[in-house]
Amino acid sequence: MTKLKNCAIRNAVFLLPLVVFGAIAAPSQTRSTPNAQLASKELNARVDALLKKMTLEEKIGQTVQYSAGFATGPSASNLTYDELVAKGQVGSMLNVVGAERTNHYQHIAMEKSRLHIPILFGLDVIHGHRTIFPVPLAVAASWDPEAAETVARVAAEEARADGIAWVFSPMVDIARDPRWGRIIESNGEDPYLSSILARAWVKGYQRGDLSKPDSVAACVKHFAAYGAAIAGRDYNAVDMSELTLRQVYLKPYRAAVDAGVATVMTSFNSINGVPATANPFTLTQILRKEWRFDGFVVSDWGAVAELKNHAIGDGPTVARKALEAGTDMDMEGDLYGTVIAEQVRSGKIPESVVDEAVRRILRVKFALGLFDRPYANVGPAYTPTPQRREAARKVAGETMVLLKNDPVEGVGTLLPLTTKARKVALIGPMADDALDLLGAWTVAGNPKDVITLKSSLSERLGDKLLYAPGCGLLSGADENILKSVTFASAAKSDANEPVPDDNKTIEDAVETARKADVVILALGEPTNWMEGEAASRAHLGFTGNQEKLLEAVVATSKPVILVVLAGRPLQLKWASEHVPAILEAWSPGIEAGPAVADVLFGDVNPSGKLPSSFPRSVGQEPLYYAQTPTGRPAHGDLSRMPHDAAEKFVSRYMDEQNSALFPFGWGLSYTRFSYANPAVDRSEVPVREVADNHQPVTTVSVEVRNTGSVAGTEVVQLYLRNTEASVEQPLRELKGFTRITLAPGETKRVSFPLGFDELNFYSADLKKTVEPTTYDIWLGGSSLATAKTSLKIVE
């Protein structure tokens, strides 16, 4: 084990310890294991008894996972799965969906394998299984943990009915660059918001008891820091200090582990030169020793075999490094099952390392009750129930973010729409595109279940609705993208069809707009294969000729409402300058049409807030609100810069504002909210009191008033800045939020606790600490909050 210990030395930037007068680190505490089920003596006794009966080949078989269906990478094998299962040489399968298919393999495992160990079936269940909800980034825009829990709970029920006891969700990677396609699976850019939602997703999937017949084992991913891929390019390397890793990127994973998540998936990237799938520092030191994680770790698709591409060894070497680092299961890498046994027999790998990996996997299988209830009940074909459709519609309504709703001369604000308009034009390629409204990563979803925006508006407006598609999502100029889509998407039936003549369809759309009193433009990007994994973009505008369509319709001078239907933040600068009303509707899922229509017509007052900053230009990426300070901050007007040395030699772009077009936490309502009288209960608190008890030491509060004429829900947000820390801290950090609903004229005082959890930071020697300092505190409806107070931490 000496080699393993040596490998566990921190592989990040080394920082010299910094002694700060008055700083107090958090006291060490003995923590119980996060998941009591996996730690139970009875369960582990069953695991150990079974492990003693297993041959080396049977043990290794438990660490092997193969796909028998949909693939997200090159397939590893031309194997007969029936034979492997019968021999006990495969422990898990993915992409096997449906009770009949899973039962086929499970019967072989339970009836023909020597020890009758059940197969664990896993699947990418990302934002619903059969009932497809909005994508996770959209769910994060609700700022509602109950919404995330609802999505996970419904998905768990449906997945388990299909024989799936393990879902590869939630993804909690901090994502600060929308060029990275997998941002749509994340909770956005902020570690506090992502941590709250991570716990909610785990709670919804696992229900607090893995043995329940309608719960599944969740899998938090991708460990670690996958969202910080350099240049936003998927699978790329990650390079950051350990301080940033701990203070920002690891927090949501830790929250999921503390919530009892049963499994963890490694990431494809390297972290400071060490691939995550073979990284003992993250997988053993942090995950196992510091966080006391008792579940098992699975690689991402083929990640063990792909370690060869990282040039850290040949096949046997990388398999050994991954296993010893703490990757317990090899997903479609075809290495553990082929090269581990020989290395155990030769003494290169202690059999105890294999035993520990198998022990972790068996714990989860026993906890799920698979040994007692291995089979799924075969039922009727799935159809969305009214109750689940209603749940999907409610969640989708909460995710909508009203980015802009400026008054139009002689008309007033365009939203909410009224029935007074004689004619409403619905224009755009996303208006009636069921597949792309469904969103990316919908393995078991069916576009036939989607109600489109065109369908919903037709039902509401009848012959008042005019419709024109306007253009395609892609154009002839997008030849390379078209080839990619054609290769990737067998489900998209129009992928091989000729690209329409957009010039003609745009002309038709302009004529349609001229006949209407108001225009709804439904634009976005082809979400099904231009978002998610392997979907990085260098340009973040609308795809195809949609921008041309937008400008042509706006040129008619008709009032325009832009509905953006895309899973990731897009570049909307021109639209923000020329369109009076913009609604970010994301990828809404099967209830896309009804949910968007509810918001457009005011049946639902929008309450969503952005979980990710929207850029003015792609050149700003990665862009996020929690920037650290610089010695030369930019304060003045950009237009003065060429003539003012004080504005020239500061940290800014010469050709664009530094700020986001729409910042983190932003979102309007059909009413208005005011914030007044922020205050802390205690303006000064001794540093020792904060560090010692880990309980709130004071409370900060603010009065929130609905100053409009309709009821509305506001997300009240709390931001802090440590102004005198020994290590520079962000200009603002989210440290609390809550959703409140207020009637017109109603006022409510909203309070947040402040204690060690909110006030600590990582010191230069990588310890959580508090110091004598002053905290600036802001409360408001976005990261631009202006209601301000302060708290002083004293000796």
CSV table of all heavy atoms in Angstrom, one decimal, residues 557-612:
chain,number,residue,atom,x,y,z
A,557,SER,N,-41.7,46.1,-37.5
A,557,SER,CA,-42.2,47.0,-36.4
A,557,SER,C,-43.4,46.5,-35.7
A,557,SER,O,-44.1,47.2,-34.9
A,557,SER,CB,-42.6,48.4,-37.0
A,557,SER,OG,-41.4,49.0,-37.6
A,558,LYS,N,-43.7,45.2,-35.9
A,558,LYS,CA,-44.8,44.6,-35.1
A,558,LYS,C,-44.2,44.3,-33.7
A,558,LYS,O,-43.0,44.0,-33.5
A,558,LYS,CB,-45.2,43.3,-35.7
A,558,LYS,CG,-46.0,43.5,-37.0
A,558,LYS,CD,-47.3,44.1,-36.8
A,558,LYS,CE,-48.1,44.2,-38.1
A,558,LYS,NZ,-49.5,44.7,-37.9
A,559,PRO,N,-45.0,44.4,-32.6
A,559,PRO,CA,-44.5,44.0,-31.3
A,559,PRO,C,-44.1,42.5,-31.3
A,559,PRO,O,-44.9,41.7,-31.7
A,559,PRO,CB,-45.7,44.2,-30.4
A,559,PRO,CG,-46.6,45.1,-31.2
A,559,PRO,CD,-46.4,44.8,-32.6
A,560,VAL,N,-42.9,42.3,-30.7
A,560,VAL,CA,-42.3,40.9,-30.8
A,560,VAL,C,-42.1,40.4,-29.4
A,560,VAL,O,-41.5,41.1,-28.5
A,560,VAL,CB,-41.1,40.9,-31.6
A,560,VAL,CG1,-40.4,39.5,-31.5
A,560,VAL,CG2,-41.3,41.2,-33.1
A,561,ILE,N,-42.5,39.2,-29.1
A,561,ILE,CA,-42.1,38.4,-27.9
A,561,ILE,C,-41.2,37.3,-28.3
A,561,ILE,O,-41.6,36.5,-29.2
A,561,ILE,CB,-43.4,37.9,-27.2
A,561,ILE,CG1,-44.3,39.0,-26.8
A,561,ILE,CG2,-43.0,37.0,-26.0
A,561,ILE,CD1,-45.7,38.5,-26.5
A,562,LEU,N,-40.0,37.3,-27.8
A,562,LEU,CA,-39.1,36.2,-28.1
A,562,LEU,C,-39.1,35.1,-27.0
A,562,LEU,O,-38.9,35.4,-25.9
A,562,LEU,CB,-37.6,36.8,-28.2
A,562,LEU,CG,-36.5,35.7,-28.4
A,562,LEU,CD1,-36.7,34.9,-29.7
A,562,LEU,CD2,-35.2,36.5,-28.4
A,563,VAL,N,-39.4,33.9,-27.4
A,563,VAL,CA,-39.3,32.8,-26.5
A,563,VAL,C,-38.1,31.9,-26.9
A,563,VAL,O,-38.0,31.4,-28.0
A,563,VAL,CB,-40.6,31.9,-26.6
A,563,VAL,CG1,-40.5,30.7,-25.7
A,563,VAL,CG2,-41.8,32.7,-26.3
A,564,VAL,N,-37.1,31.9,-26.0
A,564,VAL,CA,-35.9,31.2,-26.3
A,564,VAL,C,-36.0,29.8,-25.7
A,564,VAL,O,-36.2,29.5,-24.5
A,564,VAL,CB,-34.7,31.9,-25.6
A,564,VAL,CG1,-33.4,31.2,-25.9
A,564,VAL,CG2,-34.6,33.4,-26.1
A,565,LEU,N,-35.8,28.8,-26.6
A,565,LEU,CA,-36.0,27.4,-26.3
A,565,LEU,C,-34.6,26.7,-26.5
A,565,LEU,O,-34.4,26.2,-27.6
A,565,LEU,CB,-37.1,26.8,-27.1
A,565,LEU,CG,-38.5,27.3,-26.7
A,565,LEU,CD1,-39.4,27.3,-27.9
A,565,LEU,CD2,-39.1,26.5,-25.6
A,566,ALA,N,-33.8,26.7,-25.5
A,566,ALA,CA,-32.5,26.2,-25.6
A,566,ALA,C,-32.0,25.8,-24.2
A,566,ALA,O,-32.3,26.5,-23.2
A,566,ALA,CB,-31.5,27.2,-26.2
A,567,GLY,N,-31.3,24.7,-24.1
A,567,GLY,CA,-30.9,24.2,-22.8
A,567,GLY,C,-29.8,25.0,-22.1
A,567,GLY,O,-29.6,24.9,-20.9
A,568,ARG,N,-29.0,25.7,-23.0
A,568,ARG,CA,-27.9,26.4,-22.4
A,568,ARG,C,-28.1,27.9,-22.6
A,568,ARG,O,-28.9,28.3,-23.5
A,568,ARG,CB,-26.6,26.0,-23.1
A,568,ARG,CG,-26.4,26.5,-24.5
A,568,ARG,CD,-25.1,26.2,-25.1
A,568,ARG,NE,-25.1,25.1,-26.1
A,568,ARG,CZ,-24.2,24.3,-26.4
A,568,ARG,NH1,-23.0,24.4,-25.8
A,568,ARG,NH2,-24.3,23.4,-27.3
A,569,PRO,N,-27.3,28.8,-21.9
A,569,PRO,CA,-27.4,30.2,-22.2
A,569,PRO,C,-26.8,30.5,-23.6
A,569,PRO,O,-25.8,30.0,-24.0
A,569,PRO,CB,-26.4,30.8,-21.1
A,569,PRO,CG,-26.4,29.8,-20.0
A,569,PRO,CD,-26.5,28.4,-20.7
A,570,LEU,N,-27.6,31.3,-24.3
A,570,LEU,CA,-27.2,31.7,-25.7
A,570,LEU,C,-26.8,33.2,-25.6
A,570,LEU,O,-27.1,33.9,-24.7
A,570,LEU,CB,-28.3,31.5,-26.7
A,570,LEU,CG,-28.7,30.0,-26.9
A,570,LEU,CD1,-29.8,29.9,-28.0
A,570,LEU,CD2,-27.5,29.1,-27.3
A,571,GLN,N,-26.2,33.6,-26.7
A,571,GLN,CA,-25.8,35.0,-26.8
A,571,GLN,C,-27.0,35.8,-27.4
A,571,GLN,O,-27.4,35.6,-28.6
A,571,GLN,CB,-24.6,35.1,-27.8
A,571,GLN,CG,-24.0,36.5,-27.9
A,571,GLN,CD,-22.8,36.5,-28.8
A,571,GLN,OE1,-21.9,35.6,-28.7
A,571,GLN,NE2,-22.7,37.5,-29.7
A,572,LEU,N,-27.6,36.7,-26.7
A,572,LEU,CA,-28.8,37.3,-27.0
A,572,LEU,C,-28.7,38.8,-27.1
A,572,LEU,O,-29.7,39.6,-26.9
A,572,LEU,CB,-29.9,37.0,-26.0
A,572,LEU,CG,-30.2,35.5,-25.8
A,572,LEU,CD1,-31.2,35.3,-24.6
A,572,LEU,CD2,-30.8,34.8,-27.1
A,573,LYS,N,-27.5,39.3,-27.4
A,573,LYS,CA,-27.3,40.8,-27.3
A,573,LYS,C,-28.1,41.5,-28.3
A,573,LYS,O,-28.8,42.5,-27.9
A,573,LYS,CB,-25.8,41.1,-27.6
A,573,LYS,CG,-25.5,42.5,-27.4
A,573,LYS,CD,-24.0,42.8,-27.5
A,573,LYS,CE,-23.7,44.3,-27.3
A,573,LYS,NZ,-22.3,44.7,-27.5
A,574,TRP,N,-28.2,41.1,-29.6
A,574,TRP,CA,-29.0,41.9,-30.5
A,574,TRP,C,-30.5,41.9,-30.1
A,574,TRP,O,-31.2,42.9,-30.2
A,574,TRP,CB,-28.8,41.3,-31.9
A,574,TRP,CG,-29.4,42.2,-33.0
A,574,TRP,CD1,-28.8,43.2,-33.7
A,574,TRP,CD2,-30.8,42.2,-33.4
A,574,TRP,NE1,-29.6,43.8,-34.6
A,574,TRP,CE2,-30.9,43.3,-34.4
A,574,TRP,CE3,-31.9,41.5,-33.1
A,574,TRP,CZ2,-32.1,43.6,-35.0
A,574,TRP,CZ3,-33.1,41.8,-33.7
A,574,TRP,CH2,-33.2,42.9,-34.7
A,575,ALA,N,-30.9,40.7,-29.7
A,575,ALA,CA,-32.3,40.6,-29.3
A,575,ALA,C,-32.6,41.5,-28.1
A,575,ALA,O,-33.7,42.1,-28.1
A,575,ALA,CB,-32.6,39.1,-29.0
A,576,SER,N,-31.7,41.5,-27.2
A,576,SER,CA,-31.9,42.3,-25.9
A,576,SER,C,-32.0,43.8,-26.3
A,576,SER,O,-32.7,44.6,-25.5
A,576,SER,CB,-30.8,42.1,-24.9
A,576,SER,OG,-29.6,42.7,-25.3
A,577,GLU,N,-31.4,44.2,-27.4
A,577,GLU,CA,-31.4,45.6,-27.8
A,577,GLU,C,-32.6,46.0,-28.6
A,577,GLU,O,-32.9,47.2,-28.8
A,577,GLU,CB,-30.1,46.0,-28.5
A,577,GLU,CG,-28.9,45.9,-27.6
A,577,GLU,CD,-27.6,46.0,-28.4
A,577,GLU,OE1,-27.7,45.9,-29.6
A,577,GLU,OE2,-26.5,46.1,-27.8
A,578,HIS,N,-33.3,45.0,-29.2
A,578,HIS,CA,-34.3,45.3,-30.2
A,578,HIS,C,-35.7,44.6,-29.9
A,578,HIS,O,-36.7,44.9,-30.6
A,578,HIS,CB,-33.9,44.8,-31.6
A,578,HIS,CG,-32.7,45.6,-32.1
A,578,HIS,ND1,-31.4,45.2,-31.8
A,578,HIS,CD2,-32.6,46.7,-32.8
A,578,HIS,CE1,-30.5,46.1,-32.4
A,578,HIS,NE2,-31.2,47.0,-33.0
A,579,VAL,N,-35.7,43.7,-29.0
A,579,VAL,CA,-37.0,42.9,-28.7
A,579,VAL,C,-37.5,43.4,-27.3
A,579,VAL,O,-36.7,43.3,-26.4
A,579,VAL,CB,-36.8,41.4,-28.8
A,579,VAL,CG1,-38.1,40.7,-28.5
A,579,VAL,CG2,-36.3,41.0,-30.2
A,580,PRO,N,-38.7,43.8,-27.2
A,580,PRO,CA,-39.2,44.3,-25.9
A,580,PRO,C,-39.4,43.2,-24.8
A,580,PRO,O,-39.3,43.5,-23.7
A,580,PRO,CB,-40.5,45.0,-26.3
A,580,PRO,CG,-40.9,44.4,-27.5
A,580,PRO,CD,-39.7,44.0,-28.3
A,581,ALA,N,-39.8,42.0,-25.3
A,581,ALA,CA,-40.1,41.0,-24.3
A,581,ALA,C,-39.3,39.7,-24.6
A,581,ALA,O,-39.4,39.2,-25.8
A,581,ALA,CB,-41.6,40.7,-24.2
A,582,ILE,N,-38.6,39.1,-23.7
A,582,ILE,CA,-37.8,37.9,-23.9
A,582,ILE,C,-38.1,36.9,-22.7
A,582,ILE,O,-37.9,37.3,-21.6
A,582,ILE,CB,-36.3,38.2,-24.0
A,582,ILE,CG1,-36.0,39.2,-25.1
A,582,ILE,CG2,-35.6,36.9,-24.3
A,582,ILE,CD1,-34.6,39.6,-25.2
A,583,LEU,N,-38.5,35.7,-23.1
A,583,LEU,CA,-38.8,34.7,-22.1
A,583,LEU,C,-37.8,33.5,-22.4
A,583,LEU,O,-37.8,33.0,-23.5
A,583,LEU,CB,-40.2,34.2,-22.2
A,583,LEU,CG,-40.6,33.1,-21.2
A,583,LEU,CD1,-40.6,33.6,-19.8
A,583,LEU,CD2,-42.0,32.5,-21.6
A,584,GLU,N,-37.0,33.2,-21.4
A,584,GLU,CA,-36.1,32.0,-21.5
A,584,GLU,C,-36.9,30.8,-21.0
A,584,GLU,O,-37.3,30.7,-19.8
A,584,GLU,CB,-34.9,32.2,-20.6
A,584,GLU,CG,-34.0,31.0,-20.5
A,584,GLU,CD,-33.5,30.5,-21.8
A,584,GLU,OE1,-32.8,31.3,-22.5
A,584,GLU,OE2,-33.7,29.3,-22.2
A,585,ALA,N,-37.2,29.9,-21.9
A,585,ALA,CA,-38.1,28.8,-21.6
A,585,ALA,C,-37.3,27.4,-21.6
A,585,ALA,O,-37.9,26.4,-21.4
A,585,ALA,CB,-39.2,28.7,-22.6
A,586,TRP,N,-36.0,27.5,-21.9
A,586,TRP,CA,-35.1,26.3,-21.8
A,586,TRP,C,-35.6,25.2,-22.8
A,586,TRP,O,-36.1,25.4,-23.8
A,586,TRP,CB,-35.0,25.8,-20.4
A,586,TRP,CG,-34.7,26.9,-19.4
A,586,TRP,CD1,-35.6,27.5,-18.6
A,586,TRP,CD2,-33.4,27.5,-19.1
A,586,TRP,NE1,-35.0,28.5,-17.8
A,586,TRP,CE2,-33.6,28.5,-18.1
A,586,TRP,CE3,-32.1,27.4,-19.7
A,586,TRP,CZ2,-32.6,29.3,-17.6
A,586,TRP,CZ3,-31.1,28.2,-19.2
A,586,TRP,CH2,-31.3,29.1,-18.2
A,587,SER,N,-35.4,23.9,-22.3
A,587,SER,CA,-35.9,22.7,-23.0
A,587,SER,C,-37.0,22.2,-22.0
A,587,SER,O,-36.6,21.5,-21.1
A,587,SER,CB,-34.8,21.7,-23.3
A,587,SER,OG,-33.8,22.2,-24.1
A,588,PRO,N,-38.2,22.5,-22.3
A,588,PRO,CA,-39.3,22.3,-21.2
A,588,PRO,C,-39.8,20.8,-21.0
A,588,PRO,O,-40.5,20.6,-20.1
A,588,PRO,CB,-40.4,23.2,-21.7
A,588,PRO,CG,-39.9,24.0,-22.8
A,588,PRO,CD,-38.8,23.2,-23.4
A,589,GLY,N,-39.5,19.9,-22.0
A,589,GLY,CA,-40.0,18.6,-21.8
A,589,GLY,C,-41.4,18.3,-22.4
A,589,GLY,O,-41.8,19.1,-23.3
A,590,ILE,N,-42.1,17.3,-22.0
A,590,ILE,CA,-43.3,16.9,-22.6
A,590,ILE,C,-44.4,17.9,-22.5
A,590,ILE,O,-45.3,18.0,-23.4
A,590,ILE,CB,-43.8,15.5,-22.1
A,590,ILE,CG1,-44.2,15.5,-20.7
A,590,ILE,CG2,-42.8,14.4,-22.4
A,590,ILE,CD1,-44.9,14.3,-20.2
A,591,GLU,N,-44.4,18.7,-21.5
A,591,GLU,CA,-45.5,19.8,-21.3
A,591,GLU,C,-45.0,21.1,-21.8
A,591,GLU,O,-45.4,22.2,-21.2
A,591,GLU,CB,-45.9,19.8,-19.9
A,591,GLU,CG,-46.8,18.6,-19.4
A,591,GLU,CD,-48.2,18.7,-20.1
A,591,GLU,OE1,-48.8,19.7,-19.9
A,591,GLU,OE2,-48.5,17.7,-20.7
A,592,ALA,N,-44.1,21.1,-22.8
A,592,ALA,CA,-43.5,22.4,-23.3
A,592,ALA,C,-44.6,23.4,-23.6
A,592,ALA,O,-44.6,24.5,-23.2
A,592,ALA,CB,-42.6,22.1,-24.5
A,593,GLY,N,-45.5,23.0,-24.5
A,593,GLY,CA,-46.5,24.0,-25.0
A,593,GLY,C,-47.4,24.5,-23.9
A,593,GLY,O,-47.5,25.8,-23.8
A,594,PRO,N,-48.0,23.7,-23.1
A,594,PRO,CA,-48.9,24.2,-22.0
A,594,PRO,C,-48.1,25.1,-21.0
A,594,PRO,O,-48.7,26.1,-20.6
A,594,PRO,CB,-49.4,22.9,-21.4
A,594,PRO,CG,-49.4,21.9,-22.4
A,594,PRO,CD,-48.2,22.2,-23.3
A,595,ALA,N,-46.9,24.7,-20.7
A,595,ALA,CA,-46.1,25.5,-19.7
A,595,ALA,C,-45.8,26.8,-20.2
A,595,ALA,O,-45.9,27.8,-19.5
A,595,ALA,CB,-44.9,24.7,-19.3
A,596,VAL,N,-45.3,26.9,-21.5
A,596,VAL,CA,-44.9,28.2,-22.0
A,596,VAL,C,-46.2,29.1,-22.2
A,596,VAL,O,-46.2,30.3,-21.9
A,596,VAL,CB,-44.2,28.0,-23.4
A,596,VAL,CG1,-44.0,29.4,-24.1
A,596,VAL,CG2,-42.9,27.3,-23.2
A,597,ALA,N,-47.3,28.5,-22.7
A,597,ALA,CA,-48.5,29.2,-22.8
A,597,ALA,C,-49.0,29.7,-21.5
A,597,ALA,O,-49.6,30.9,-21.4
A,597,ALA,CB,-49.6,28.3,-23.5
A,598,ASP,N,-48.9,28.9,-20.4
A,598,ASP,CA,-49.3,29.4,-19.1
A,598,ASP,C,-48.6,30.7,-18.7
A,598,ASP,O,-49.3,31.6,-18.1
A,598,ASP,CB,-49.0,28.3,-18.0
A,598,ASP,CG,-49.9,27.1,-18.1
A,598,ASP,OD1,-51.0,27.2,-18.7
A,598,ASP,OD2,-49.6,26.1,-17.5
A,599,VAL,N,-47.3,30.8,-19.0
A,599,VAL,CA,-46.6,32.0,-18.6
A,599,VAL,C,-46.9,33.1,-19.6
A,599,VAL,O,-47.1,34.3,-19.2
A,599,VAL,CB,-45.1,31.7,-18.6
A,599,VAL,CG1,-44.3,33.0,-18.4
A,599,VAL,CG2,-44.7,30.7,-17.5
A,600,LEU,N,-47.0,32.8,-20.9
A,600,LEU,CA,-47.3,33.9,-21.8
A,600,LEU,C,-48.6,34.6,-21.5
A,600,LEU,O,-48.8,35.8,-21.7
A,600,LEU,CB,-47.3,33.3,-23.3
A,600,LEU,CG,-46.0,32.9,-23.8
A,600,LEU,CD1,-46.2,32.3,-25.2
A,600,LEU,CD2,-45.0,34.0,-23.9
A,601,PHE,N,-49.6,33.8,-21.1
A,601,PHE,CA,-51.0,34.4,-20.9
A,601,PHE,C,-51.2,34.8,-19.4
A,601,PHE,O,-52.3,35.2,-19.1
A,601,PHE,CB,-52.0,33.4,-21.4
A,601,PHE,CG,-52.2,33.4,-22.9
A,601,PHE,CD1,-51.4,32.5,-23.6
A,601,PHE,CD2,-53.0,34.3,-23.5
A,601,PHE,CE1,-51.5,32.5,-25.0
A,601,PHE,CE2,-53.1,34.3,-24.9
A,601,PHE,CZ,-52.4,33.4,-25.6
A,602,GLY,N,-50.2,34.6,-18.6
A,602,GLY,CA,-50.3,35.0,-17.2
A,602,GLY,C,-51.0,34.1,-16.2
A,602,GLY,O,-51.3,34.4,-15.1
A,603,ASP,N,-51.3,32.9,-16.7
A,603,ASP,CA,-51.9,31.9,-15.8
A,603,ASP,C,-50.8,31.5,-14.7
A,603,ASP,O,-51.2,31.1,-13.6
A,603,ASP,CB,-52.3,30.6,-16.6
A,603,ASP,CG,-53.4,30.9,-17.6
A,603,ASP,OD1,-54.1,31.9,-17.4
A,603,ASP,OD2,-53.5,30.1,-18.5
A,604,VAL,N,-49.6,31.6,-15.1
A,604,VAL,CA,-48.5,31.4,-14.2
A,604,VAL,C,-47.6,32.7,-14.3
A,604,VAL,O,-47.2,33.1,-15.4
A,604,VAL,CB,-47.6,30.2,-14.6
A,604,VAL,CG1,-46.3,30.2,-13.8
A,604,VAL,CG2,-48.4,28.9,-14.4
A,605,ASN,N,-47.4,33.3,-13.1
A,605,ASN,CA,-46.5,34.5,-13.1
A,605,ASN,C,-45.1,34.0,-13.0
A,605,ASN,O,-44.7,33.3,-12.1
A,605,ASN,CB,-46.9,35.3,-11.8
A,605,ASN,CG,-46.2,36.7,-11.8
A,605,ASN,OD1,-45.3,36.9,-12.6
A,605,ASN,ND2,-46.7,37.6,-11.0
A,606,PRO,N,-44.2,34.4,-13.9
A,606,PRO,CA,-42.9,33.8,-13.9
A,606,PRO,C,-42.1,34.1,-12.7
A,606,PRO,O,-42.2,35.3,-12.2
A,606,PRO,CB,-42.2,34.4,-15.2
A,606,PRO,CG,-43.1,35.6,-15.5
A,606,PRO,CD,-44.5,35.3,-15.0
A,607,SER,N,-41.4,33.1,-12.2
A,607,SER,CA,-40.6,33.3,-10.9
A,607,SER,C,-39.2,32.7,-11.1
A,607,SER,O,-38.4,32.8,-10.1
A,607,SER,CB,-41.3,32.6,-9.7
A,607,SER,OG,-41.5,31.2,-10.0
A,608,GLY,N,-38.9,32.2,-12.3
A,608,GLY,CA,-37.5,31.7,-12.4
A,608,GLY,C,-36.4,32.7,-12.4
A,608,GLY,O,-36.6,33.9,-12.7
A,609,LYS,N,-35.3,32.2,-11.9
A,609,LYS,CA,-34.1,33.1,-11.8
A,609,LYS,C,-32.9,32.3,-12.5
A,609,LYS,O,-32.8,31.1,-12.4
A,609,LYS,CB,-33.7,33.4,-10.4
A,609,LYS,CG,-34.8,34.1,-9.6
A,609,LYS,CD,-34.9,35.5,-9.9
A,609,LYS,CE,-35.9,36.2,-9.0
A,609,LYS,NZ,-35.9,37.7,-9.2
A,610,LEU,N,-32.0,33.1,-13.2
A,610,LEU,CA,-31.0,32.4,-13.9
A,610,LEU,C,-30.0,31.7,-13.0
A,610,LEU,O,-29.4,32.4,-12.1
A,610,LEU,CB,-30.2,33.5,-14.7
A,610,LEU,CG,-31.0,34.1,-15.9
A,610,LEU,CD1,-30.1,35.1,-16.7
A,610,LEU,CD2,-31.5,33.0,-16.9
A,611,PRO,N,-29.7,30.5,-13.3
A,611,PRO,CA,-28.6,29.8,-12.5
A,611,PRO,C,-27.2,29.9,-13.2
A,611,PRO,O,-26.2,29.5,-12.7
A,611,PRO,CB,-29.1,28.3,-12.6
A,611,PRO,CG,-29.8,28.2,-13.9
A,611,PRO,CD,-30.4,29.5,-14.2
A,612,SER,N,-27.2,30.6,-14.4
A,612,SER,CA,-26.0,30.8,-15.1
A,612,SER,C,-26.1,32.2,-15.8
A,612,SER,O,-27.1,32.6,-16.2
A,612,SER,CB,-25.8,29.8,-16.2
A,612,SER,OG,-25.5,28.5,-15.7
